[in-house]
Amino acid sequence: MNKYILALDQGTTSSRAILFGHDGRVRAIAQQEFPQIFPQPGWVEHDAGDIWRSQLAVAQEVLRESGADAADIAAIGIANQRETTLLWDRSTGKPVANAIVWQDRRTAGICDALREAGHAERIRQKTGLVIDAYFSGTKLKWLLDNVPGVRARAERGELAFGTVDAWLVWKLCGRHVTDVSNASRTMLFDIHALAWDEELLQCLDIPPSVLPAVVPSSGEVGRSDPQWFGASIPIAGIAGDQQAATFGQACHQPGMAKNTYGTGCFMLMHTGDRAKASHNNLLTTVGWNRSGVPGAEYMLEGSVFMAGAAVQWLRDGLGIIRSAEEVEELAASVPDTGGVVMVPAFAGLGAPYWDAYARGTIVGLTRGSTKAHIARATLAAIAYQTADVLEAMQKDAEIGLTELRVDGGAARNNLLMQFQADVLGVPVVRPKVTETTALGAAYLAGLAVGFWSSREEIAAQWQVDRRFEPAMAAAEARQRLATWRRAVDRSREWAVPE
């Protein structure tokens, strides 16, 4: 009998692999960071080879360290950083350029042109997305238009486009596929028809021949090449990291919501089996679907570009902490921010502002301001951005949130979680298993191969680690949010081209 599911959690700054047992608990984990590439301001790239090598290395490491072999693994599930865009040669597997990362803003001008040409409402209706450099479609167009010879090769059918999930599946088993959750983040996919859209492809001048086949999030899509793990293993689960985390948090019913505190901050609310349009600058996105089950389940999403990445900037940019874990102690050394407000718009602002030209801003500095105040203001900014998203989400969904389930690295920060509950005015609930992104990928894969029998079995495994109750007066929370929004206004449209 198979003992484990192997989850590959390919993130923006590191690749991880986790073995999960039948009880949904972690049996082994390995992680490896890989380099970030910043060719010029606003550009962010990855070497696709670094992504693959680091992901394969940690997958092999967890098997080695746990003493497991391929026969012990029921299936592989993949969760991935979304929107990051790759283009590679079908015959050699060699990428034509570095991957363009989801944070990259180089295509802001392309997005401006699409809006000016009147495409915004049509794109929103079909894809559920706003026009923004965040999504994969304009990144792919940029590669086709700017890498010499690439467009002609693509039109001859020689090249393959994919987000990171497609790249990993290609390397593992040679198939060119993506799942519906990742496809829904490209600005090329009709989320109602669950298919690539010819009109959108023409709008962005994308040849259909580069596109992967779209497969269910839960269902076997291939088997890994025996060279990687000693024998082949079914690949049976694929989901973008935020959809995977939502599934891992057992948010399986309409109205349930989770927030992931990673490099960015991503809140998703389950809205049922029909796409719900946003009127408050949120995204409508596909959550997941399952092989043999018609249709899909949908989410409203608010995407914050800089959350944990702002803490990394305190470490790497300012040098005021040696590790991300130190930020809580430093921030707790002062009772408040001393009037300092930080807007971490290093890569523009996401929901609900969608301002590609906003830039990072710190206001309220005085001679009494210290690195501790800046650290506390950085944590507060993460909570404020989440509050902005939740306010918009509750208006769209017309559902009052009763609790927010949380995960991701910064969810371990008790100071941040308590402040989050204070400014939201609802309890914040952290589960015992916080590796929910990987867990969601594992659950999707495990359901496909019968490792778990049902979603009810999965939901029963979800357990609370700690519940943070709001302790701040509602009037004070409103005042703090008003001050935050004044600071946001000062960050807006800073880098508009002259």
Side-chain angles (χ1 to χ4, degrees):
M1 183 177 179
N2 300 122
K3 300 176 183 177
Y4 310 115
I5 297 288
L6 172 61
L8 307 183
D9 181 4
Q10 205 300 302
T12 309
T13 58
S14 68
S15 296
R16 299 191 304 161
I18 304 180
L19 282 184
F20 290 98
H22 280 276
D23 58 1
R25 297 294 181 91
V26 174
R27 293 295 190 271
I29 184 168
Q31 180 170 349
Q32 187 176 121
E33 290 193 3
F34 59 89
Q36 308 294 296
I37 303 167
F38 307 102
Q40 55 180 280
W43 291 29
V44 189
E45 297 179 354
H46 290 155
D47 181 327
D50 288 340
I51 292 174
W52 165 243
R53 285 186 292 271
S54 60
Q55 189 63 76
L56 179 62
V58 291
Q60 292 172 337
E61 183 181 341
V62 291
L63 294 183
R64 186 169 59 250
E65 295 298 321
S66 65
D69 59 29
D72 296 318
I73 310 301
I76 295 171
I78 296 171
N80 58 285
Q81 53 165 315
R82 303 174 304 172
E83 298 92 19
T84 294
T85 300
L86 301 95
L87 192 61
W88 65 91
D89 186 297
R90 290 182 181 274
S91 60
T92 67
K94 183 178 174 59
V96 303
N98 282 338
I100 302 180
V101 178
W102 59 270
Q103 298 163 315
D104 189 284
R105 311 308 292 169
R106 77 184 66 180
T107 63
I110 298 174
C111 294
D112 291 342
L114 288 170
R115 279 188 289 269
E116 289 164 9
H119 295 302
E121 186 54 33
R122 192 70 178 134
I123 286 173
R124 180 187 280 277
Q125 288 174 356
K126 288 192 171 189
T127 70
L129 308 177
V130 300
I131 294 175
D132 193 81
Y134 177 30
F135 304 110
S136 311
T138 59
K139 294 174 167 59
L140 174 55
K141 176 176 172 56
W142 190 95
L143 288 169
L144 292 169
D145 289 344
N146 289 276
V147 180
V150 158
R151 179 169 288 282
R153 293 175 64 196
E155 290 171 350
R156 290 196 299 268
E158 297 172 8
L159 301 182
F161 151 74
T163 43
V164 170
D165 61 305
W167 173 241
L168 293 179
V169 173
W170 175 277
K171 297 296 284 186
L172 285 167
C173 73
R175 287 202 66 198
H176 185 210
V177 301
T178 191
D179 91 297
V180 291
S181 71
N182 282 291
S184 76
R185 311 297 295 190
T186 61
M187 231 165 67
L188 304 171
F189 188 76
D190 186 327
I191 62 171
H192 311 284
L194 299 178
W196 300 117
D197 186 85
E198 184 177 343
E199 182 185 0
L200 298 175
L201 293 172
Q202 290 175 352
C203 181
L204 282 165
D205 198 14
I206 306 294
S209 61
V210 303
L211 299 174
V214 180
V215 297
S217 310
S218 180
E220 186 173 334
V221 299
R223 299 182 71 90
S224 66
D225 190 307
Q227 68 175 309
W228 305 129
F229 306 114
S232 66
I233 303 171
I235 303 164
I238 306 171
D241 52 10
Q242 302 314 317
Q243 288 95 330
T246 308
F247 200 83
Q249 284 277 36
C251 293
H252 301 154
Q253 302 300 322
M256 299 184 75
K258 71 89 200 175
N259 199 33
T260 295
Y261 300 80
T263 301
C265 217
F266 302 90
M267 184 184 294
L268 278 76
M269 177 183 282
H270 195 299
T271 60
D273 59 4
R274 292 195 178 178
K276 193 171 186 68
S278 173
H279 303 288
N280 293 278
N281 283 333
L282 299 181
L283 308 176
T284 304
T285 197
V286 178
W288 49 76
N289 67 345
R290 296 179 60 190
S291 181
V293 180
E297 295 172 52
Y298 293 88
M299 312 280 144
L300 281 171
E301 175 175 339
S303 307
V304 170
F305 296 153
M306 290 286 157
V311 175
Q312 290 177 332
W313 178 74
L314 298 181
R315 180 192 68 189
D316 302 334
L318 291 189
I320 64 175
I321 53 175
R322 290 187 301 270
S323 68
E325 290 72 28
E326 289 182 13
V327 71
E328 183 173 5
E329 182 180 357
L330 179 60
S333 69
V334 289
D336 53 43
T337 68
V340 176
V341 183
M342 191 250 213
V343 183
F346 300 110
L349 288 169
Y353 303 101
W354 296 107
D355 184 346
Y357 301 111
R359 288 296 178 264
T361 305
I362 301 177
V363 297
L365 293 170
T366 67
R367 283 292 301 275
S369 301
T370 68
K371 62 183 181 180
H373 293 112
I374 293 172
R376 194 170 183 113
T378 301
L379 294 182
I382 297 171
Y384 290 141
Q385 291 178 103
T386 298
D388 285 343
V389 169
L390 180 61
E391 181 177 311
M393 191 168 283
Q394 292 190 128
K395 289 177 183 175
D396 277 336
E398 299 175 332
I399 299 171
L401 193 68
T402 56
E403 68 178 27
L404 181 66
R405 295 185 173 187
V406 298
D407 53 65
R412 294 190 289 269
N413 187 312
N414 292 330
L415 179 68
L416 172 57
M417 293 299 99
Q418 182 57 56
F419 190 70
Q420 186 71 87
D422 290 344
V423 296
L424 292 181
V426 298
V428 167
V429 185
R430 183 172 64 203
K432 285 188 175 179
V433 178
T434 57
E435 304 291 352
T436 52
T437 300
L439 181 59
Y443 279 151
L444 288 166
L447 283 170
V449 298
F451 190 79
W452 289 289
S453 61
S454 67
R455 295 206 290 197
E456 289 73 23
E457 181 184 1
I458 287 169
Q461 293 182 352
W462 190 88
Q463 293 180 300
V464 174
D465 170 59
R466 182 165 172 181
R467 188 178 180 90
F468 298 86
E469 297 286 348
M472 183 183 291
E476 182 181 351
R478 285 195 298 271
Q479 180 58 49
R480 292 193 185 209
L481 282 165
T483 302
W484 153 256
R485 286 163 186 159
R486 285 172 57 213
V488 169
D489 286 342
R490 284 154 175 78
S491 78
R492 301 289 302 275
E493 299 182 352
W494 186 261
V496 173
E498 295 184 1

